[in-house]
Amino acid sequence: MTAVLEISGLRKTYRGRKGVRKALDGFDMVVEAGQVHGFLGPNGSGKTTTLRTLLGLIKPNDGRMTILGQEVPRHLPQVAGLVGAIVESPQFFGNFSAETTLSLLADAGGVNPHRVPAVLELVGLRDRAKDRVKTYSLGMKQRLAVASALLKEPKLLILDEPANGLDPGGIREMRTLMADLAASGMTVLLSSHILGEIQLICDSVTIISAGRRVAAGSVSEVLASHTSATVKVRLEPGVDLPGAVAILRAAGAVIPSLEKDHFTVGNATNPAQITKLLAEKQIYVSELTPVSADLEDVFLKLTGTAPVDGANRQVDQVAAETQGGWGQ
Ligand SMILES: Nc1ncnc2c1ncn2[C@@H]1O[C@H](COP(=O)(O)OP(=O)(O)O)[C@@H](O)[C@H]1O
Ligand SMILES: [Mg+2]
């Protein structure tokens, strides 16, 4: 695969009245062609700084960046026509229609006016193209913004937090749009601090925390390399749950959570061991389900932005982090 975007060792320090702030601290990223790549990290982790630096809007202190094989910012003029980006949320005139807005932008950018109906169709705004922008939902305004970035038929589309503020319906529309664009051969890089829907939109991800890359790869790779074998165990009603937990712990099980009617075993590489150990004490399992971690769990673990779930988390928390197998 060819990399459309490569960043290595990117550093950016902001100097302000409050002193020096390291926004990027040796950040690396690779985005392969034809992918929808999620750029994920909590607020303040350096996503916008990275994207602004890539686009030549701010100057890095150090690092190397290439877009479509060209070193940037030095060769930005050569590739600028191939990159569509929305980094600040664009402001549109509410009294203009989407069609008028895009026609003006096409005209100003020297783009063939035939692109206007084409991009309106692409983002699903054709039916509302003649309505005034102030009558649009936030999702429609976001799609208009995407349409404006698509006018010049970019090979790489960069969107900073495109799902921000959208309701689930709007996010679903955005997701379909991204998939359509990737299917047409475009590479899409989208940043987000919200994980839920990203997992479904992206082929691959880079997770950033405090200005550094903490994980990268295909969504399935990232999930596989950062999850441990966790199973949920439910026992027959009326069975002494803490008693069962004590038996398993004595055998080395890690119990990340204990609820009223079930518990989880965090290091169950051999789940049969759970049924065997409990059955030996005449305790019978009524449900044993693998708990598949999602990207959100990995993100929270890596970036440390998890809400502290005090009641359950303190139990065996340290042991659970070690991910060691048990009961083999
Ligand atoms: N213009 C600026 N001046 C000073 N600090 C900034 C500026 N822009 C961003 N920062 C700081 O840099 C860090 C990264 O910010 P940002 O790139 O906006 O993160 P994100 O987009 O992931 O939320 C934050 O600590 C933020 O406060
Ligand atoms: Mg940002």
Side-chain angles (χ1 to χ4, degrees):
M1 279 198 280
T2 34
V4 164
L5 177 64
E6 275 188 278
I7 296 175
S8 62
L10 195 62
R11 286 177 202 284
K12 174 66 190 176
T13 306
Y14 290 110
R15 281 163 212 285
R17 268 174 292 132
K18 289 188 194 151
V20 175
R21 174 176 283 141
K22 261 190 206 170
L24 295 172
D25 190 13
F27 177 70
D28 305 309
M29 174 154 70
V30 178
V31 180
E32 307 285 355
Q35 301 239 305
V36 178
H37 190 92
F39 183 17
L40 313 174
N43 276 326
S45 55
K47 302 179 298 296
T48 300
T49 300
T50 302
L51 300 180
R52 288 176 60 85
T53 308
L54 259 179
L55 298 167
L57 300 170
I58 48 182
K59 238 178 103 160
N61 298 92
D62 197 9
R64 221 181 134 253
M65 301 176 286
T66 63
I67 294 179
L68 297 157
Q70 300 279 341
E71 193 114 3
V72 293
R74 195 148 53 99
H75 295 300
L76 208 50
Q78 282 96 306
V79 291
L82 303 169
V83 181
I86 308 168
V87 173
E88 307 299 338
S89 53
Q91 300 295 314
F92 298 116
F93 289 112
N95 283 330
F96 287 176
S97 68
E99 192 178 65
T100 308
T101 305
L102 292 173
S103 298
L104 290 170
L105 287 172
D107 197 35
V111 171
N112 187 325
H114 289 116
R115 284 294 295 158
V116 173
V119 297
L120 283 167
E121 175 78 43
L122 255 175
V123 303
L125 279 180
R126 201 189 52 181
D127 294 345
R128 297 289 304 273
K130 293 190 190 313
D131 295 345
R132 290 200 267 185
V133 170
K134 67 179 175 194
T135 68
Y136 289 4
S137 67
L138 182 61
M140 294 169 71
K141 286 180 190 154
Q142 298 273 60
R143 282 183 282 140
L144 173 57
V146 174
S148 70
L150 292 174
L151 277 172
K152 56 186 174 182
E153 293 189 77
K155 287 201 172 348
L156 170 65
L157 179 65
I158 297 175
L159 305 174
D160 196 16
E161 306 266 2
N164 233 3
L166 296 187
D167 58 13
I171 293 178
R172 210 172 314 119
E173 287 164 5
M174 193 56 82
R175 188 168 85 212
T176 314
L177 175 56
M178 296 305 126
D180 289 349
L181 295 176
S184 77
M186 199 178 294
T187 307
V188 182
L189 173 63
L190 52 96
S191 80
S192 182
H193 69 283
I194 315 160
L195 268 286
E197 294 285 327
I198 293 293
Q199 187 165 359
L200 303 168
I201 300 179
C202 300
D203 306 303
S204 53
V205 294
T206 295
I207 302 182
I208 184 173
S209 176
R212 286 173 193 244
R213 176 169 74 182
V214 290
S218 71
V219 171
S220 54
E221 277 166 12
V222 169
L223 287 178
S225 60
H226 291 93
T227 54
S228 52
T230 300
V231 294
K232 176 174 150 190
V233 182
R234 198 182 292 275
L235 302 179
E236 285 186 308
V239 173
D240 167 30
L241 225 59
V245 163
I247 293 166
L248 295 174
R249 278 220 182 103
V254 171
I255 313 292
S257 80
L258 174 56
E259 308 287 338
K260 234 182 13 245
D261 60 346
H262 70 270
F263 57 90
T264 58
V265 178
N267 56 344
T269 43
N270 179 10
Q273 190 72 4
I274 297 170
T275 46
K276 182 166 173 283
L277 279 168
L278 295 178
E280 280 168 6
K281 305 277 189 215
Q282 276 75 50
I283 298 172
Y284 300 104
V285 170
S286 62
E287 183 192 328
L288 190 69
T289 339
V291 180
S292 52
D294 57 15
L295 207 50
E296 186 115 27
D297 300 330
V298 176
F299 176 79
L300 295 177
K301 193 169 147 193
L302 289 174
T303 63
T305 53
V308 179
D309 179 5
N312 304 320
R313 286 284 293 168
Q314 83 229 15
V315 197
D316 296 350
Q317 184 176 19
V318 176
E321 306 297 342
T322 63
Q323 292 195 12
W326 153 82
Q328 295 283 40

